Amino acid sequence: MKPTFLLLLALLMTDNSQAAQTPTPPDVARKPHVVEAPFGASRDDAYYWLRDDSRKDKEMLAYLEAENAYADAFMAPLKPLQDALYAEIVSRIKQDDSSVPYRERGYWYYTRFETGKDYPIHARRKGTMEGPEEILFDVNEMAAGKDYFSLAEYDVSPDNRIVAWTQDDVGRRQYSLHFRNLETGEVYPEVITGVAYDTAWADDNKTLFYAENDPETLLTVRVKKHVLGTPPSEDQLVYEEADDSFYMGISRSRDDKYICIDLGATTMREIRCAPAADPREFTVLAPREQGNEYHADHLGDRWVILTNVDGATNFKLVTAPDGSTSRKDWVDLVPHRDDVFIEDFDLFDGFTAIAERSGGLERIRLLKADGSEEYVKADESAYSMGLDINSEHDTPWLRYGYTSMTTPETTYELNVETGERRQLKQQPVLGYDASKYATERLWATARDGTRVPVSVVYRKGFEKIGKAALLQYAYGSYGHSIDPAFSATTVSLLDRGMVYAIAHVRGGQEMGRQWYDDGKLLHKKNTFTDFIDVTDFLVAEGYAAPDRVAAYGGSAGGLLMGAITNMAPDKYRVILSQVPFVDVVTTMLDAGIPLTTLEYDEWGNPEQERFYDYMLSYSPYDNLEARAYPAMFVGTGLWDSQVQYWEPVKYVAKLRDVDTGPLPVLLRTNMDAGHGGKSGRFRKYRELSEMYAFLLDQLGADDR
């Protein structure tokens, strides 16, 4: 294996005995394996053996532990910087913080933290916030003694007496379902395993609907109903989905009149609903058809439906009467517009709140019962705004969230009738002074002429003279938009003179649905070239030195990191890649891997030769070649259910084979967590501080 940069330096400055103690990366065996496609194509994958679905292979686990030991040894000299970063980040957290309470069925629900504790306490008060506190869950007690714990969701019965909750003790997002009587404290004996996180009660307060996962693929495959006091083995099948490109969720409608099963693939959806008072038969609201993506909610005597049918690329709102089972009954409420992308809505008795995008920024439109419209005002030119928890529909008050790259998350309440606005809470960030920082909205021109929005933040006093270090972030997949929101952890980088930028690349939906379509399937490379072109723009405009640029992405954003590293390795000094999706073709050829079949409409099905060839042309693992690569910090979780651990592990092993440069490559495997990293509000900052210490050291930006 090649020596690291630190080893080369040590060889020059120390004697042989000292150099022998300098850490070197572990070696790993290569074992012949051929990955075949149905049409005859094949590829050699010498590290395929590192995949172990059981996660028990001793040789594999020993290699992961060796990589972690190497990362420990390499990072040891940077421990003071890592500790300083952790102390800074934690010092900004108000440890005894609490959420904004919301009212539902006569109770005020909220979450609070206690000083020094990792997990939240979920509680409620009856009538007013002056009533006695009733603790629903002290997650600190539930997580005690566990390496990982997540309370996913909880659902209180309509009569407020029983709570059902789902929890995960591993990080694989395979949940177990539990029940407790809130009046007596009795925990019911029945436990249902292998379920998704969301549930819905029927009006009888004893029947709960839940979705069951396939244990291998983790797909939600069937809906069942459980009656309290009966064995889970007797739970009745309500619905089973035969198409493995669909996922499903369960919820109650806005007015609590219906229980709905929401079935969705990437490019089509179907909703089946039953009366919550008598949920024996679930009726299709509109049959699935390719290209019809819709979301529905109910209030009063009508359905309101968000849909993209009939050429409504950016979506529109329609209505349908009770009893409708076909879109022939749909009537336009808010027509489609080419320049406005509708994302979501909330129904109220006197108005409809519509979350939409225009010009790459979010806004909230208020459609009143009399047909008049107005927009919720923003306080800055670059910001993020979205609907908050609006649990009740019979109120003139709308709750929404607002933030920018310099403004911490703020919750407002707006009276739609009077125009009065109240600030309910702003995220407390101890020691932070927003007046010391500045944010900008920029536009970079991509190589095909497309204008790509860029959000930038830095500490005031920064000069655009091409000397600063830059961290550029993006995601760019699944239509998921990355908005210019505040990050308390990023302040530690800004205070060291760095610039932080978000590239709103194609593949998200920041600029509307076409922005997403132009960054997926056979257009996926636009995501990668947009990111590179934004880098060139920021360097040319003086926001960064050309040799001090770092890039950061995770999951599908980790695919982006792998792609740009192969396409333009000389433009990036450091790559930070968390749980990266880097072995695209092999994963998408294997329908047995969790979630693969859901992804065909995002990446393509490589069993078809044109998709195989295109995916192969950018797959990071397959395009590694002999060249000098940037310094890299790659993170993964052994129990990750979304990007399996072996993808980044194989990637690093192969990268070390071909990398001709002197810069370090670290692989950090979290042995007791999944896609989201370690649980607990403080543990994750230890991981982030390590990654930031690596970043600052490599960029020479660790002086304050």
Side-chain angles (χ1 to χ4, degrees):
M1 302 297 288
K2 297 172 296 300
T4 65
F5 175 73
L6 290 184
L7 177 56
L8 290 172
L9 187 62
L11 289 170
L12 292 173
M13 299 179 63
T14 63
D15 61 30
N16 289 339
S17 61
Q18 292 172 314
Q21 300 175 19
T22 304
T24 57
D27 206 350
V28 60
R30 296 170 53 88
K31 301 181 182 181
H33 182 87
V34 177
V35 179
E36 297 181 345
F39 49 84
S42 64
R43 293 146 48 245
D44 294 326
D45 186 355
Y47 295 114
Y48 187 91
W49 72 270
L50 287 166
R51 170 182 176 175
D52 174 32
D53 291 26
S54 72
R55 289 147 173 84
K56 295 179 179 179
D57 181 88
K58 292 182 179 179
E59 186 179 4
M60 177 273 294
L61 292 173
Y63 172 59
L64 299 191
E65 295 288 6
E67 284 285 3
N68 281 344
Y70 168 63
D72 289 341
F74 186 94
M75 293 298 296
L78 299 178
K79 188 66 164 56
L81 175 58
Q82 182 179 338
D83 289 344
L85 288 164
Y86 178 78
E88 289 172 23
I89 292 170
V90 171
S91 72
R92 298 188 191 107
I93 299 172
K94 186 177 185 296
Q95 295 200 23
D96 57 348
D97 197 13
S98 62
S99 67
V100 178
Y102 65 90
R103 187 175 62 189
E104 188 167 18
R105 300 191 188 104
Y107 283 82
W108 289 91
Y109 289 85
Y110 59 96
T111 299
R112 62 178 177 84
F113 285 92
E114 294 182 347
T115 300
K117 294 188 177 181
D118 250 329
Y119 294 91
I121 295 170
H122 299 278
R124 68 178 184 177
R125 298 174 189 265
K126 188 174 183 178
T128 71
M129 282 299 292
E130 283 68 48
E133 181 180 71
E134 179 182 349
I135 293 179
L136 303 175
F137 302 97
D138 185 337
V139 186
N140 298 283
E141 294 180 356
M142 300 171 75
K146 296 181 172 68
D147 290 326
Y148 179 92
F149 184 82
S150 172
L151 174 69
E153 294 284 347
Y154 69 87
D155 191 0
V156 177
S157 60
D159 65 0
N160 298 312
R161 294 178 55 251
I162 310 294
V163 64
W165 77 93
T166 47
Q167 67 182 53
D168 177 10
D169 298 346
V170 175
R172 192 140 174 85
R173 303 189 183 184
Q174 276 279 57
Y175 302 98
S176 57
L177 175 60
H178 308 255
F179 302 88
R180 186 172 74 248
N181 188 304
L182 293 173
E183 293 181 339
T184 67
E186 176 193 0
V187 176
Y188 289 79
E190 55 258 45
V191 175
I192 305 170
T193 58
V195 304
Y197 61 83
D198 49 351
T199 58
W201 286 98
D203 284 353
D204 66 2
N205 300 294
K206 64 179 182 180
T207 302
L208 187 86
F209 292 84
Y210 65 92
E212 190 174 66
N213 287 343
D214 181 281
E216 299 300 326
T217 66
L218 305 188
L219 296 175
T220 43
V221 292
R222 58 188 67 88
V223 173
K224 290 185 173 181
K225 68 176 181 180
H226 176 74
V227 178
L228 284 177
T230 64
S233 60
E234 296 179 4
D235 290 356
Q236 293 183 22
L237 177 66
V238 174
Y239 176 80
E240 185 163 12
E241 177 56 55
D243 189 335
D244 60 7
S245 67
F246 277 75
Y247 59 88
M248 65 179 70
I250 308 168
S251 62
R252 288 175 67 113
S253 63
R254 178 76 161 150
D255 56 6
D256 277 334
K257 186 174 180 179
Y258 291 97
I259 296 172
C260 294
I261 302 171
D262 192 339
L263 303 154
T266 304
T267 58
M268 59 178 160
R269 299 185 80 165
E270 180 178 270
I271 297 176
R272 297 166 175 258
C273 299
D278 185 21
R280 287 180 293 178
E281 183 177 354
F282 284 77
T283 303
V284 175
L285 182 60
R288 67 186 68 178
E289 56 182 310
Q290 188 62 238
N292 181 10
E293 302 169 51
Y294 72 94
H295 163 67
D297 207 348
H298 190 275
L299 182 61
D301 59 356
R302 70 175 185 174
W303 293 96
V304 176
I305 302 163
L306 176 66
T307 179
N308 65 343
V309 296
D310 301 327
T313 306
N314 281 335
F315 289 81
K316 63 180 179 178
L317 289 181
V318 301
T319 63
D322 270 340
S324 174
T325 59
S326 170
R327 67 183 182 93
K328 65 180 177 59
D329 300 323
W330 294 3
V331 177
D332 281 7
L333 176 66
V334 178
H336 172 263
R337 285 175 54 180
D338 291 335
D339 60 341
V340 176
F341 175 64
I342 302 177
E343 286 191 314
D344 198 4
F345 65 93
D346 263 347
L347 301 176
F348 295 80
D349 289 352
F351 65 98
T352 299
I354 305 168
E356 59 185 39
R357 292 178 180 274
S358 179
L361 290 172
E362 297 170 290
R363 62 186 186 182
I364 298 175
R365 186 194 329 190
L366 303 175
L367 176 61
K368 300 183 180 180
D370 62 6
S372 62
E373 295 183 357
E374 64 180 80
Y375 289 91
V376 176
K377 295 179 181 178
D379 299 325
E380 299 166 278
S381 60
Y383 60 90
S384 176
M385 178 190 293
L387 299 170
D388 202 80
I389 298 175
N390 289 285
S391 56
E392 297 179 317
H393 56 81
D394 55 344
T395 174
W397 291 94
L398 168 74
R399 284 192 183 183
Y400 67 96
Y402 179 92
T403 182
S404 76
M405 296 185 83
T406 58
T407 304
E409 180 70 38
T410 308
T411 303
Y412 288 106
E413 198 168 49
L414 174 69
N415 190 306
V416 175
E417 294 176 355
T418 66
E420 178 187 355
R421 185 179 80 162
R422 302 188 296 219
Q423 179 178 310
L424 301 180
K425 180 184 179 180
Q426 184 170 85
Q427 172 194 353
V429 184
L430 305 182
Y432 173 74
D433 182 355
S435 67
K436 295 180 179 179
Y437 305 87
T439 183
E440 292 183 76
R441 182 73 157 189
L442 309 172
W443 294 87
T445 301
R447 61 194 66 184
D448 64 358
T450 301
R451 297 180 73 232
V452 179
V454 187
S455 298
V456 177
V457 65
Y458 45 80
R459 190 178 174 99
K460 288 181 179 178
F462 160 73
E463 295 181 288
K464 302 167 192 173
I465 56 175
K467 292 185 177 181
L470 165 72
L471 179 59
Q472 182 177 315
Y473 175 82
Y475 185 74
S477 291
Y478 303 106
H480 178 64
S481 299
I482 303 296
D483 294 300
F486 179 78
S487 168
T489 59
T490 305
V491 174
S492 289
L493 304 182
L494 307 183
D495 286 349
R496 289 169 170 80
M498 288 192 65
V499 176
Y500 180 72
I502 300 173
H504 305 284
V505 296
R506 281 174 280 187
Q509 291 186 129
E510 290 92 337
M511 297 293 290
R513 182 53 179 246
Q514 193 62 48
W515 202 248
Y516 172 37
D517 292 340
D518 288 345
K520 69 173 184 176
L521 295 173
L522 298 175
H523 303 290
K524 188 63 210 171
K525 290 182 183 178
N526 285 334
T527 304
F528 316 141
T529 55
D530 281 358
F531 190 93
I532 295 168
D533 294 342
V534 167
T535 300
D536 288 342
F537 166 79
L538 292 172
V539 170
E541 293 295 312
Y543 286 89
D547 59 349
R548 302 187 74 198
V549 177
Y552 179 24
S555 195
L559 163 65
L560 171 59
M561 295 300 99
I564 64 163
T565 303
N566 286 330
M567 296 170 70
D570 57 318
K571 296 182 186 294
Y572 302 96
R573 177 60 177 75
V574 183
I575 299 290
L576 307 178
S577 186
Q578 287 294 324
V579 292
F581 175 43
V582 285
D583 192 13
V584 181
V585 180
T586 303
T587 291
M588 294 304 297
L589 279 170
D590 190 344
I593 292 177
L595 311 181
T596 290
T597 54
L598 296 178
E599 310 276 307
Y600 289 152
D601 290 323
E602 180 72 24
W603 315 106
N605 184 346
E607 292 185 4
Q608 301 174 29
E609 192 168 359
R610 65 183 183 125
F611 287 116
Y612 179 95
D613 290 342
Y614 187 75
M615 294 160 70
L616 188 62
S617 72
Y618 68 74
S619 173
Y621 183 66
D622 293 291
N623 286 279
L624 290 168
E625 60 183 43
R627 62 172 61 172
Y629 281 90
M632 290 194 201
F633 190 105
V634 181
T636 187
L638 181 63
W639 295 97
D640 196 334
S641 61
Q642 292 180 264
V643 178
Q644 306 297 314
Y645 77 87
W646 54 80
E647 289 201 39
V649 171
K650 288 167 51 180
Y651 174 78
V652 168
K654 185 175 179 180
L655 174 63
R656 292 230 181 90
D657 286 343
V658 299
D659 188 1
T660 62
L663 300 178
V665 175
L666 300 189
L667 172 65
R668 172 67 75 191
T669 302
N670 191 324
M671 304 298 285
D672 55 19
H675 198 65
K678 291 183 176 180
S679 59
R681 61 172 173 161
F682 297 120
R683 294 174 70 186
K684 63 183 178 182
Y685 296 128
R686 282 289 183 193
E687 296 177 329
L688 183 65
S689 297
E690 179 182 52
M691 186 173 69
Y692 275 3
F694 178 84
L695 167 74
L696 292 168
D697 179 65
Q698 292 297 313
L699 292 179
D702 56 336
D703 295 327
R704 294 198 63 174

